[in-house]
Amino acid sequence: MLSAAAVAQSAQPAEIAAWQARAAAVTIIRDEWGVPHIYGKTDADAAFGMLYAQCEDNYWQVEESAVRKLGRLAELYGEKELGSDASMAVRQTAARARQAYREGPAGLRQLCDAAAAGINYYLHTHPEVPRRLLTRYESWHLLLQPAPDGANHGITAAERRRLGLGGGGAGGEGVEGWEQQQESGSNAIALAPSKTTTGHSLLLINPHVGFFGDNQRYEAHLVSEQGLNASGFAMLGQFWIWSGFTATTAWAHTNTAADYDDVYQETFDHPKDSTLYCYGRGYRRAVVWTDTLAYQTPAGQQRRVYRFLRTHHGPAIARRGAAWLTVRGATESFGRYAWQAWLMSKAPTLARFKAAMNQRQLLSNTMFADARGNIAYWHGNAVPRRDPAFNWTQPVDGSNPRTEWRGRHSLRSLAQIVNPASGWLQNCNSTPFQAAGPGSPEPGRYPAYLAYDPQTFRAVEAVRQLGTAGPLSPEGLWLLACSPRLPMYAAWLPQVLAASDRQLTRRPELRAELQAVTDTLRRWDCRSGVHSRATTLAFAWGQQYSAYLNQLFPPTVPYYAPGIAAYLHGLQLPVSDSLAVAFLRSAAAELTARYGSPWVPWGEVNRLQRIHSSGSQEKFADSRPSLPVGSFAGSAGSLFAFRTRPEKAQQRQYGIGGNTYVAVVELGPRVRARSVVNFGQSADPASPHYFDQAPLYATYQLKEAWYYQQDVLSHARRSYHPGQ
């Protein structure tokens, strides 16, 4: 840990005076939930205040995220993190951030300068806060973002490890990748005035991400005298509102399987020069370089030299047999990505919002609604144009010039819907071709790589409800978003029970073991709830099923591949009678072994507990307070997704991902929003805002998200300038 004296030496008097002048122009108002409403004269003032407030609430994670993206985790945690650091080094994350800052527009550089100053001023005014590694933040640190890792194209963690690379792999490796995608995606629903009881557009913002680490959502409200007035959430360490609302617009993002990166199989077979790789009828020379990475040991810091290479497609990030696998991403500059997100947060109209979207830098889907009654959806954003003759879900031949990109798809050529006749739009990490009911786009009009997404069980439930519901109030939209119905079990459970009936007829000796179990499930309405014993049985069956699929499919199969589709989101149970019943027997036996009985209420098992961070030594514990949660994993179709991680040493299992920040926004003459986060605003266990929103979250309640200054002031608990 670094001393306060070391930190103080890094700031010069003139710089401190500049920070103090900036701080005097910024006012942070904390409401009754600790949410910061940040007011500044300029946009840069707001960025300064945003990072200062984030540091107040969770500096540990701000630093942790920066250290990881800088490729310096091993300096904190030792040799076990060298693979993660090497992954950043081969993708040249730091160099790309420096370049993005140098080449970015002046407005972006001003925002980065101010945001970095906000962190540095926080450290200057809080010498007691531990500095584990970083004593000063540079402007380009705000643009640190890893490049793609190729996981969605079948590259596995094992193949990366052959080059000494770690990290990555989430969201792309077979069945486990599917489950992670469902809990690390999002829901978004937009309703036109014709579909609401108030006659105003509504938008549901509902990201599903991890509860710990880089993906934590941070609720904030940014206001400046330069036209900025955006409320919603940011990622820790970033200065813009990623999903949120203004007085006239609201927007949300969901993860997408639109293909924004590609993996190339490169052949190095030159008889004399190992740096030459095949291309066309000849060879090209790879760029080869070395990087020295530091790591901490009990004896002090040690260093290891890595050798990396890149072709014209991108860095080599894996080995498959004799071939090198390189990856290319559509968004090469995170600066342009950040600038587009900033412009979207200031757009007062659909036309201005589309103009920002037309920069085509984002790697996500976007849902939109405005006060004029417009609703819109774009599937993907930064999508390269390719030759559709190739299978882009897997590595393609890097030596074939036909696999080169042909520019980028225009915004108008993406799958999209504006003001559908149905009056509603939904995306639950799902296909755009059912996003608006009968008025959805026709898949035949688009190349496959624009939308590999399946129709997820969450989307099945959203479409079912939206297609039959009458006009909805904001409260009605929230009730829809909290639906406890699990469409996977609604589709599969009757088939499991029929299989069990057939098995019991053939093998009556199983009746004593299974009859009570099947009777319990037969009475179940396929809705999760804290008091439901059938929900616990269904979860245990699903765990057995997932384990079977992980053996059945290799990790090189992307979750959206046709061969795996029926097993993950098909309406027909894709296993035999004997397997379906075997899973049920194993589920009941495991529950009995763990709890002494298969009749365990779901709320006794499924819990919400806050720990400091997944990177700390603090672990979940049954002895510590926690709250029951009735929701279920999103892979089964739970719109309110709640993913847990069973612990061998614990009776209960605790949430690690799913619903985080959630908001319902009504875009009337005066915008109104209600929101909740899964824990609370502050990561300090001593803060009243450490876990204060958790009881709301666990019981499906929202709080007011104050927007207008008079309302903010009416509910203010503290008002101050940074540094006070």
Side-chain angles (χ1 to χ4, degrees):
M1 187 180 299
L2 299 162
S3 69
V7 177
Q9 292 173 1
S10 66
Q12 299 301 315
E15 188 173 38
I16 295 170
W19 294 342
Q20 291 170 335
R22 175 80 73 181
V26 176
T27 299
I28 301 175
I29 302 175
R30 298 273 186 171
D31 65 24
E32 69 264 58
W33 298 100
V35 175
H37 303 260
I38 301 163
Y39 295 84
K41 293 185 180 299
T42 67
D43 288 357
D45 292 339
F48 178 96
M50 170 71 110
L51 268 297
Y52 183 93
Q54 288 184 19
C55 291
E56 287 185 298
D57 287 329
N58 197 349
Y59 175 71
W60 189 96
Q61 187 61 58
V62 171
E63 183 184 31
E64 180 86 357
S65 297
V67 170
R68 184 184 69 82
K69 294 172 186 176
L70 284 166
R72 298 180 64 186
L73 274 183
E75 294 179 49
L76 289 178
Y77 300 117
E79 189 175 11
K80 65 185 177 68
E81 293 295 347
L82 273 175
S84 173
D85 290 353
S87 291
M88 300 298 163
V90 71
R91 290 181 280 174
Q92 298 179 298
T93 304
R96 290 169 62 246
R98 289 189 184 95
Q99 182 179 3
Y101 174 77
R102 287 195 307 269
E103 297 177 355
L108 175 67
R109 294 197 301 273
Q110 291 168 5
L111 294 170
C112 292
D113 293 346
I119 306 176
N120 291 327
Y121 189 53
Y122 170 80
L123 293 177
H124 173 72
T125 55
H126 293 77
E128 76 286 356
V129 171
R131 283 78 161 160
R132 292 175 296 149
L133 187 65
L134 301 180
T135 62
R136 180 183 179 85
Y137 290 76
E138 303 296 336
S139 300
W140 57 269
H141 286 176
L142 278 298
L143 301 179
L144 287 165
Q145 188 70 8
D149 64 6
N152 285 339
H153 295 269
I155 290 182
T156 68
E159 290 171 330
R160 284 191 295 275
R161 283 195 293 270
R162 289 173 191 157
L163 295 185
L165 307 180
E173 297 195 27
V175 177
E176 184 180 1
W178 168 252
E179 293 169 347
Q180 292 176 353
Q181 164 74 3
Q182 290 300 287
E183 270 47 81
S184 302
S186 302
N187 300 333
I189 296 175
L191 301 182
S194 63
K195 192 67 174 177
T196 70
T197 59
T198 61
H200 304 145
S201 301
L202 297 177
L203 184 74
L204 170 73
I205 305 171
N206 184 192
H208 299 162
V209 295
F211 293 168
F212 309 99
D214 291 350
N215 281 324
Q216 293 178 62
R217 274 27 182 173
Y218 183 81
E219 186 170 7
H221 179 197
L222 302 182
V223 185
S224 81
E225 296 176 12
Q226 293 182 319
L228 174 68
N229 194 346
S231 182
F233 75 81
M235 269 70 90
L236 283 168
Q238 296 177 356
F239 54 80
W240 58 90
I241 299 297
W242 174 239
S243 293
F245 59 95
T246 71
T248 56
T249 61
W251 68 101
H253 300 288
T254 59
N255 285 1
T256 185
D259 197 349
Y260 53 80
D261 61 353
D262 282 315
V263 172
Y264 296 85
Q265 187 166 296
E266 314 281 16
T267 302
F268 287 79
D269 65 356
H270 194 277
K272 296 182 178 179
D273 192 336
S274 62
T275 67
L276 296 178
Y277 62 98
C278 297
Y279 189 76
R281 297 182 178 181
Y283 289 89
R284 288 190 176 186
R285 188 175 301 282
V287 175
V288 180
W289 77 99
T290 60
D291 207 338
T292 302
L293 304 181
Y295 61 100
Q296 192 63 38
T297 74
Q301 196 174 86
Q302 302 293 322
R303 297 182 180 276
R304 184 172 300 171
V305 177
Y306 283 78
R307 180 178 182 270
F308 301 124
L309 70 82
R310 65 183 299 122
T311 70
H312 71 287
H313 292 124
I317 57 170
R319 286 292 298 269
R320 181 172 293 176
W324 296 75
L325 300 179
T326 61
V327 65
R328 183 182 183 189
T331 299
E332 296 181 353
S333 169
F334 193 62
R336 291 196 288 270
Y337 182 107
W339 187 238
Q340 177 176 335
W342 183 264
L343 294 177
M344 290 163 64
S345 75
K346 294 188 68 174
T349 63
L350 174 59
R352 288 272 296 277
F353 194 86
K354 285 179 66 175
M357 286 282 292
N358 200 42
Q359 297 198 17
R360 293 166 293 150
Q361 297 295 322
L362 303 188
L363 311 177
S364 60
N365 306 319
T366 304
M367 191 76 73
F368 173 88
D370 70 18
R372 297 182 180 180
N374 296 302
I375 60 173
Y377 174 73
W378 295 269
H379 197 78
N381 190 239
V383 185
R385 292 177 63 246
R386 307 162 167 94
D387 184 337
F390 292 91
N391 176 13
W392 296 97
T393 68
Q394 293 292 320
V396 295
D397 181 3
S399 70
N400 188 343
R402 290 180 58 204
T403 62
E404 297 296 341
W405 291 350
R406 304 170 179 179
R408 186 170 297 191
H409 276 273
S410 66
L411 187 65
R412 65 178 179 272
S413 69
L414 301 177
Q416 60 189 274
I417 314 168
V418 180
N419 295 329
S422 64
W424 55 265
L425 289 164
Q426 66 77 33
N427 183 266
C428 301
N429 310 119
S430 49
T431 176
F433 307 126
Q434 297 183 49
S440 303
E442 293 292 332
R445 295 175 49 201
Y446 303 92
Y449 61 74
L450 278 177
Y452 290 132
D453 317 72
Q455 183 68 338
T456 64
F457 277 118
R458 281 185 286 122
V460 167
E461 179 64 10
V463 169
R464 183 188 73 85
Q465 293 208 51
L466 290 166
T468 58
L472 293 171
S473 65
E475 293 73 21
L477 177 56
W478 174 234
L479 286 175
L480 185 155
C482 296
S483 171
R485 186 173 181 271
L486 305 177
M488 185 185 84
Y489 290 103
W492 290 0
L493 184 58
Q495 300 171 68
V496 175
L497 294 174
S500 180
D501 290 344
R502 289 189 290 269
Q503 289 277 55
L504 292 179
T505 299
R506 289 192 294 268
R507 299 182 59 190
E509 72 274 12
L510 296 178
R511 195 170 299 277
E513 179 184 352
L514 283 181
Q515 190 66 62
V517 170
T518 57
D519 287 348
T520 298
L521 291 172
R522 208 180 306 275
R523 293 189 297 268
W524 186 41
D525 61 0
C526 297
R527 294 174 180 268
S528 64
V530 293
H531 302 297
S532 171
R533 291 169 171 81
T535 302
T536 310
L537 273 169
F539 175 82
W541 184 93
Q543 292 290 98
Q544 299 294 321
Y545 177 74
S546 292
Y548 165 75
L549 293 191
N550 276 308
Q551 294 177 348
L552 186 63
F553 291 100
T556 52
V557 179
Y559 68 82
Y560 47 76
I564 203 172
Y567 290 86
L568 295 176
H569 42 80
L571 296 180
Q572 295 297 314
L573 181 66
V575 297
S576 65
D577 282 7
S578 59
L579 277 175
V581 176
F583 297 155
L584 196 56
R585 294 179 67 191
S586 296
E590 186 168 305
L591 288 174
T592 301
R594 191 177 182 95
Y595 302 105
S597 164
W599 319 118
V600 187
W602 183 232
E604 287 299 311
V605 176
N606 203 54
R607 310 289 290 192
L608 181 67
Q609 185 178 93
R610 186 167 195 176
I611 59 176
H612 170 59
S613 170
S614 58
S616 72
Q617 297 302 310
E618 187 179 10
K619 304 297 182 184
F620 295 118
D622 291 343
S623 60
R624 296 178 54 231
S626 63
L627 297 173
V629 177
S631 293
F632 205 86
S635 54
S638 178
L639 288 173
F640 191 118
F642 188 76
R643 180 186 179 211
T644 59
R645 181 178 61 208
E647 302 280 351
K648 290 183 179 179
Q650 309 293 344
Q651 288 288 92
R652 292 167 166 174
Q653 52 198 37
Y654 298 96
I656 59 170
N659 274 27
T660 48
Y661 169 93
V662 186
V664 174
V665 184
E666 179 184 4
L667 291 149
R670 285 175 59 87
V671 67
R672 184 197 178 196
R674 305 184 75 227
S675 65
V676 72
V677 298
N678 54 306
F679 293 138
Q681 194 69 24
S682 173
D684 180 1
S687 168
H689 305 301
Y690 180 72
F691 205 60
D692 59 335
Q693 295 187 52
L696 298 180
Y697 176 93
T699 54
Y700 311 112
Q701 299 180 66
L702 300 174
K703 61 175 179 59
E704 293 289 339
W706 307 113
Y707 183 78
Y708 295 99
Q709 189 170 28
Q710 61 268 36
D711 295 326
V712 173
L713 292 172
S714 295
H715 296 273
R717 294 296 179 269
R718 184 184 174 211
S719 180
Y720 59 100
H721 300 299
Q724 291 182 338

